[in-house]
Amino acid sequence: MDPAASRGTVISVRGAVIDVGFDGQPMPPINTALIVEWDRPEPLILEVHSHVDPVTIRGIALQATAGLARGTSVRATGEPISVPVGDAVLGRLIDVVGQVRDGGPALPNDTPRRGIHNPPPALEDEASATTMFETGIKVIDLLAPLAQGGKAAMFGGAGVGKTVLVMELIHAMVEKYQGISVFAGVGERSREGHELLTDMTGSGVLARTVLVYGQMNEPPGARWRVPLTALTIAEYFRDQKHQNVLLLMDNIFRFVQAGSEVSSLLGRLPSRVGYQPTLASEVAGLQERIASVAGAAVTAIQAVYVPADDFTDPAVTTISSHMDSIIMLSRAAAAEGFYPAVDPLASSSVLLDPLVVGEEHYLLAERARETLARFKDLQDIISLLGVEELGAGDRLIVKRARRLQRFLSQPFAVTEAFTGTPARSVSRADTLAGCRAILDGETDDWAESSLYMVGNLDEARQKEAAAAEPAPAS
């Protein structure tokens, strides 16, 4: 008998975990979908997680289970959860099981569908990422360049600007980047999802973007599986359409958190710091699928919440081990008003190599890091005794480091409505020229404020000249 023809009944309901009995029927395979035939208009889909005994499966619900009673009939599909893919989903907002959630018309009946569980590409088919992905954001392009077809993560605690930085990268890439964008909102606030949809509609980017949401108010099963839905759509464009894909995920920590909730509901013993024992394999299963093949690249940019600003948290260290570029956001930089609040010393990238970015860029980035590191070492002395007590050489380093810090800040398009400052996108050549001028001492006599929140050095020069002009007599 075909497992797809199996019918079972609900035995127990524990939140998002549901046991279904298939007495005398073939057992549905693990990771396949079950459909609960209840009396609600909203469908309820379960995913088989384990076989408890020869006649009982344990499933994870992907929608709310309120009102589900024991004895309710359940139908096996024999196949994994499948979601719509292809051109029909461009410009649409869908949920974890592929239902349209933007209030628009239903998808055409002939829309292709694909299962959300797919193996990663074979190692010999994968293409390595060595092309730089220019963002127009100075501090990232200088110290933690992103790779076309690579994986980058923004790590930061609550309120230091992860979502703003991801949204700015979307803005920055609209003009430069002509591929497809897939945005996965994992455990996002409804407000953030609504803002992103409105912004994208207004800027005309939506036609080349797919939005996939599993929001904070949804069950843990939906938040746990929504990155796989987004990844399946990205893989279709990569493999079938041979198009470059920009995959944005905000926030991948919520995927780990949802996995932890599911693990607790399943009664597993927790591992370090209360995380699920399968943390490493869950993260690896997701990240290994984000890969580029010859002719089509998937570039992933992920925001990662850092609980209590603890960068040694097991979830943070597990995710960071899969990344090509690591961008650390610092609460201290945000407190001083340096936005984007990127920590230049903790951020890193495998692309920052003379063979990839060139000797000039590499040496300049090293000089910038040395200057900022020395300034950090001197901070305690400065706060105790004042900068006047330093030697002449150290005073010069402090002067240049402070100017460099200010030059690496820049106004964003996302924040323009709040600050009133027009956005600036800076080419890599202009970023390098500006940093070299500061480190060579060309700006030693300038006011520090002239370099704060500007684009390239020419703009800072104009600001300095304007400040130096005498005020007109009243």
Side-chain angles (χ1 to χ4, degrees):
M1 189 177 169
D2 180 11
S6 295
R7 301 186 84 83
T9 54
V10 174
I11 297 172
S12 71
V13 181
R14 293 186 306 284
V17 173
I18 295 166
D19 287 359
V20 182
F22 285 89
D23 199 4
Q25 308 255 347
M27 294 282 273
I30 286 171
N31 284 342
T32 57
L34 308 177
I35 296 169
V36 177
E37 296 176 331
W38 63 346
D39 55 356
R40 303 291 171 95
E42 282 284 304
L44 175 57
I45 295 173
L46 315 179
E47 185 176 77
V48 180
H49 184 271
S50 60
H51 292 170
V52 181
D53 58 40
V55 294
T56 312
I57 68 95
R58 186 156 287 161
I60 308 292
L62 300 185
Q63 290 94 0
T65 56
L68 179 61
R70 283 189 296 179
T72 306
S73 179
V74 176
R75 177 168 58 84
T77 63
E79 295 178 345
I81 293 162
S82 65
V83 294
V85 293
D87 294 339
V89 292
L90 289 174
R92 306 305 299 269
L93 188 152
I94 62 173
D95 66 9
V96 64
V97 292
Q99 291 181 315
V100 175
R101 294 291 182 188
D102 54 12
L107 297 172
N109 293 331
D110 60 352
T111 304
R113 297 182 80 89
R114 199 168 175 179
I116 63 169
H117 295 281
N118 299 303
L123 196 57
E124 65 262 24
D125 297 334
E126 290 190 22
S128 57
T130 53
T131 311
M132 234 188 100
F133 202 78
E134 239 182 79
T135 63
I137 299 171
K138 290 180 284 193
V139 66
I140 293 176
D141 287 345
L142 175 71
L143 297 171
L146 307 189
Q148 174 113 31
K151 293 192 276 273
M154 327 273 173
F155 293 90
V160 294
K162 294 181 301 297
T163 299
V164 169
L165 195 50
V166 168
M167 288 176 71
E168 186 63 24
L169 285 165
I170 295 171
H171 270 272
M173 284 156 193
V174 176
E175 294 84 19
K176 301 173 187 170
Y177 178 80
Q178 295 305 313
I180 300 295
S181 299
V182 179
F183 181 88
V186 187
E188 282 284 83
R189 300 172 185 87
S190 302
R191 169 187 60 76
E192 290 172 342
H194 187 264
E195 279 176 10
L196 186 69
L197 182 60
T198 310
D199 278 2
M200 287 193 155
T201 308
S203 62
V205 199
L206 198 59
R208 296 203 310 274
T209 306
V210 186
L211 301 175
V212 187
Y213 272 93
Q215 293 183 163
M216 219 177 243
N217 59 335
E218 294 187 48
R223 288 178 272 127
W224 192 40
R225 288 306 188 209
V226 80
L228 303 188
T229 301
L231 199 44
T232 302
I233 294 167
E235 285 169 340
Y236 179 84
F237 284 112
R238 179 194 71 193
D239 299 336
Q240 262 63 40
K241 300 278 187 175
H242 306 292
Q243 288 176 294
N244 288 340
V245 183
L246 177 64
L247 178 65
L248 300 135
M249 293 196 192
D250 188 7
N251 181 314
I252 214 68
F253 176 79
R254 306 277 176 223
F255 160 75
V256 172
Q257 204 173 33
S260 179
E261 288 176 49
V262 167
S263 185
S264 300
L265 288 166
L266 291 167
R268 290 201 202 117
L269 282 173
S271 179
R272 261 195 324 152
V273 199
Y275 285 108
Q276 60 271 44
T278 52
L279 170 66
S281 56
E282 281 176 20
V283 171
L286 174 70
Q287 300 293 351
E288 289 302 304
R289 280 176 63 183
I290 303 172
S292 302
V293 295
V298 175
T299 306
I301 295 170
Q302 307 170 28
V304 185
Y305 167 69
V306 179
D309 288 353
D310 177 14
F311 287 93
T312 63
D313 186 86
V316 175
T317 53
T318 305
I319 294 166
S320 65
S321 65
H322 292 273
M323 296 299 149
D324 301 315
S325 302
I326 293 172
I327 297 161
M328 295 289 194
L329 298 175
S330 149
R331 192 170 300 283
E336 288 184 51
F338 298 131
Y339 289 104
V342 174
D343 184 336
L345 301 177
S347 303
S348 62
S349 169
V350 295
L351 258 71
L352 198 58
D353 183 298
L355 298 173
V356 180
V357 296
E359 194 79 30
E360 179 198 10
H361 182 157
Y362 175 76
L363 293 173
L364 196 59
E366 288 301 296
R367 275 182 72 194
R369 273 223 176 92
E370 279 172 27
T371 304
L372 292 167
R374 181 63 184 148
F375 176 47
K376 190 178 180 183
D377 290 343
L378 295 168
Q379 292 278 31
D380 287 347
I381 298 171
I382 293 168
S383 55
L384 285 170
L385 304 172
V387 77
E388 296 79 18
E389 297 300 315
L390 298 175
D394 282 343
R395 276 210 302 274
L396 198 60
I397 285 171
V398 168
K399 182 184 277 192
R400 289 174 187 174
R402 286 177 62 88
R403 281 160 177 75
L404 187 62
Q405 274 183 331
R406 281 150 183 76
F407 180 67
L408 292 177
S409 68
Q410 76 192 77
F412 279 176
V414 179
T415 57
E416 201 171 310
F418 308 104
T419 61
T421 310
R424 296 284 183 271
S425 179
V426 185
S427 70
R428 184 165 71 119
D430 283 348
T431 298
L432 296 179
C435 291
R436 190 184 303 104
I438 292 167
L439 293 170
D440 288 346
E442 288 179 32
T443 63
D444 285 359
D445 299 329
W446 295 14
E448 288 177 0
S449 57
S450 299
L451 292 154
Y452 179 65
M453 283 292 171
V454 294
N456 57 25
L457 198 66
D458 288 340
E459 191 184 338
R461 192 174 280 114
Q462 289 164 13
K463 203 171 167 184
E464 174 68 15
E469 281 178 15
S474 54

